Amino acid sequence: MMRAPFVCSALLSITTLAACAAEGFPGDEVEDVEVVDDGKGDGWATDMPQGTYSVEDAATGDVAKLTLNANKTFRRELKGKPALEGKFKITQGGGNRYIRFLKNSGTLIDRYGFEIHGRQLLVRKVGETDWQALVAEDNFKGVNSAYAGTYTAYGRGDLPEGGIFELMLHDTGRFHMTVEAVHACNAPGHGCSSSWSDGWTGSSYIYGTWAPKQGGGGVSLTPRNDATGQVGWKFDLAMIRTGDHLDVTGKDGSLQLTGSMDVQALFAGAHSVTDAAVDGTWKVAKVGSDPDATVSLWGFSLVLNGAEHQATFDAETNEFCELSPNTNNAPKCGVYQIANDPKGGTRGVIYGYRGTEFAALRITTKTASKMTLTSDEGTVFTLMKQ
């Protein structure tokens, strides 16, 4: 099913949409400027397209497969035409975002508008109004392992050198880990939070791919810098899970790693609620005593401005969006799935992620019209189906 483009059909009437089609897509006439990312190229951004997207039934001349690499090179296959390779830039203008496809010399080939909805990438050639839906080839739910999950050491005070603060082992085969240390900041698949004139300071981030360790008892991590293609040294983590608690030990080069962590979600295991069971729009009841604000499903304070707090789930694209009551703020969206509840609940956990940011909300009750969710901090959200 084609997702409706957000700018015209999601916000305007059918009459206005017809005008959009007749006059060209709004905003295309505005000059676009390049959007500069942080340069990490670690493959975790959800608001920038990265990786390979494809569709099986592309019409002649439409995009059949598109690969956007972290080093800003691309390969594009149009149905019935030779593959095209070169460089690209992400730009924005007129309320739209674009991919500028360039020859290796930097000369413009053409420009496509794009939107990201969960695992779906919508593309539209500038000068046209029809959108085409591509799906990420991201191995979503492809790793079936008891270790696939998200683990945290929140609220444990000062961690020791090498203490693991966060560990995300996604069932796509990618991992991200935050460690209390300044370690291997320039090594492939490693980064440090900030630097001063006298060097690095703060936490270290390690990211790449993972797999169950041969012989069991843990996982093997392979740090990787997607922007350069460089692969770092492989190392193992020994893991012992007891219910919703995890103990971790390992060694990344010279750094001894330790972790006493809470299990927030497990991607393998049974749960009675499916992704499709939460599909649709839900009104979220106000949480907290502040008359002007509520608690966000993503875990921060959300200004209400007297408006309604809503969340949407799209099981087709696995998109989870929290719709801000503040019209000046765009919806905060990510990818979601229903995961296993490490605390033993049978319904499962709504797990949403935006890059390395995540929300793990236990489904404590669920009917067709009402759902209650509990965060790891004990905040209870009541959602009513709209």
Side-chain angles (χ1 to χ4, degrees):
M1 181 182 73
M2 166 61 71
R3 278 293 299 255
F6 186 76
V7 174
C8 278
S9 64
L11 296 182
L12 305 179
S13 67
I14 295 176
T15 302
T16 307
L17 178 58
C20 284
E23 299 174 4
F25 203 84
D28 280 354
E29 73 282 0
V30 178
E31 183 178 359
D32 55 321
V33 296
E34 184 174 6
V35 177
V36 180
D37 60 23
D38 61 9
K40 285 176 62 179
D42 58 12
W44 286 88
T46 59
D47 57 354
M48 290 286 191
Q50 184 175 317
T52 297
Y53 303 84
S54 63
V55 61
E56 293 183 359
D57 56 351
T60 300
D62 282 351
V63 179
K65 180 177 284 191
L66 174 62
T67 299
L68 301 170
N69 298 309
N71 63 359
K72 295 298 185 291
T73 62
F74 78 91
R75 177 183 172 87
R76 191 178 73 191
E77 300 177 25
L78 302 184
K79 184 71 174 291
K81 296 185 178 182
L84 188 64
E85 296 183 354
K87 300 177 181 178
F88 74 92
K89 291 181 179 180
I90 301 297
T91 65
Q92 63 184 13
N96 304 321
R97 294 195 294 169
Y98 301 94
I99 306 170
R100 279 184 168 262
F101 293 102
L102 312 169
K103 296 179 181 179
N104 286 321
S105 63
T107 303
L108 177 68
I109 300 171
D110 52 24
R111 186 171 60 128
Y112 278 70
F114 77 90
E115 293 181 6
I116 295 177
H117 295 284
R119 299 178 55 242
Q120 184 186 76
L121 175 68
L122 292 178
V123 293
R124 171 190 58 82
K125 190 172 183 178
V126 168
E128 301 177 359
T129 57
D130 292 336
W131 291 83
Q132 185 186 354
L134 309 174
V135 178
E137 296 183 3
D138 54 4
N139 197 37
F140 188 62
K141 301 184 181 181
V143 179
N144 184 17
S145 166
Y147 299 111
T150 292
Y151 312 92
T152 64
Y154 299 161
R156 282 179 163 74
D158 294 333
L159 295 178
E161 180 85 357
I164 302 173
F165 183 64
E166 290 180 327
L167 174 61
M168 302 180 190
L169 301 173
H170 278 189
D171 55 3
T172 60
R174 296 194 64 88
F175 84 89
H176 177 274
M177 182 164 59
T178 305
V179 179
E180 186 64 26
V182 176
H183 172 68
C185 299
N186 295 311
H190 292 70
C192 296
S193 58
S194 58
S195 63
W196 302 92
S197 58
D198 57 349
W200 298 97
T201 185
S203 302
S204 296
Y205 309 107
I206 310 169
Y207 45 88
T209 59
W210 73 277
K213 186 174 65 174
Q214 289 187 351
V219 298
S220 295
L221 307 181
T222 303
R224 175 186 172 87
N225 185 323
D226 291 334
T228 64
Q230 289 182 298
V231 175
W233 52 79
K234 183 177 179 179
F235 62 94
D236 293 339
L237 294 179
M239 305 174 70
I240 300 175
R241 184 174 69 85
T242 305
D244 61 351
H245 180 80
L246 181 78
D247 290 309
V248 187
T249 57
K251 195 171 184 180
D252 176 18
S254 61
L255 181 65
Q256 188 69 44
L257 302 172
T258 60
S260 176
M261 313 186 77
D262 297 318
V263 186
Q264 301 291 356
L266 295 169
F267 299 130
H271 44 80
S272 62
V273 177
T274 64
D275 294 358
V278 301
D279 190 88
T281 299
W282 299 77
K283 179 182 177 181
V284 185
K286 186 181 179 304
V287 176
S289 57
D290 189 329
D292 299 319
T294 188
V295 179
S296 162
L297 293 168
W298 290 99
F300 57 89
S301 179
L302 183 65
V303 177
L304 285 170
N305 285 344
E308 191 171 273
H309 181 195
Q310 291 185 326
T312 63
F313 299 90
D314 186 332
E316 183 181 4
T317 64
N318 290 100
E319 181 181 43
F320 160 40
C321 283
E322 185 170 45
L323 309 180
S324 174
N326 188 337
T327 57
N328 295 322
N329 295 335
K332 187 168 185 178
C333 302
V335 177
Y336 88 93
Q337 64 193 99
I338 307 300
N340 178 260
D341 184 354
K343 295 185 181 297
T346 60
R347 298 175 187 84
V349 172
I350 295 181
Y351 184 85
Y353 62 92
R354 294 169 42 86
T356 58
E357 181 182 7
F358 75 92
L361 302 169
R362 297 181 63 233
I363 305 172
T364 48
T365 66
K366 172 73 173 69
T367 67
S369 60
K370 183 178 179 180
M371 177 167 57
T372 58
L373 310 174
T374 305
S375 74
D376 63 312
E377 296 178 336
T379 302
V380 177
F381 299 95
T382 302
L383 285 69
M384 301 296 296
K385 189 71 173 288
Q386 300 298 284

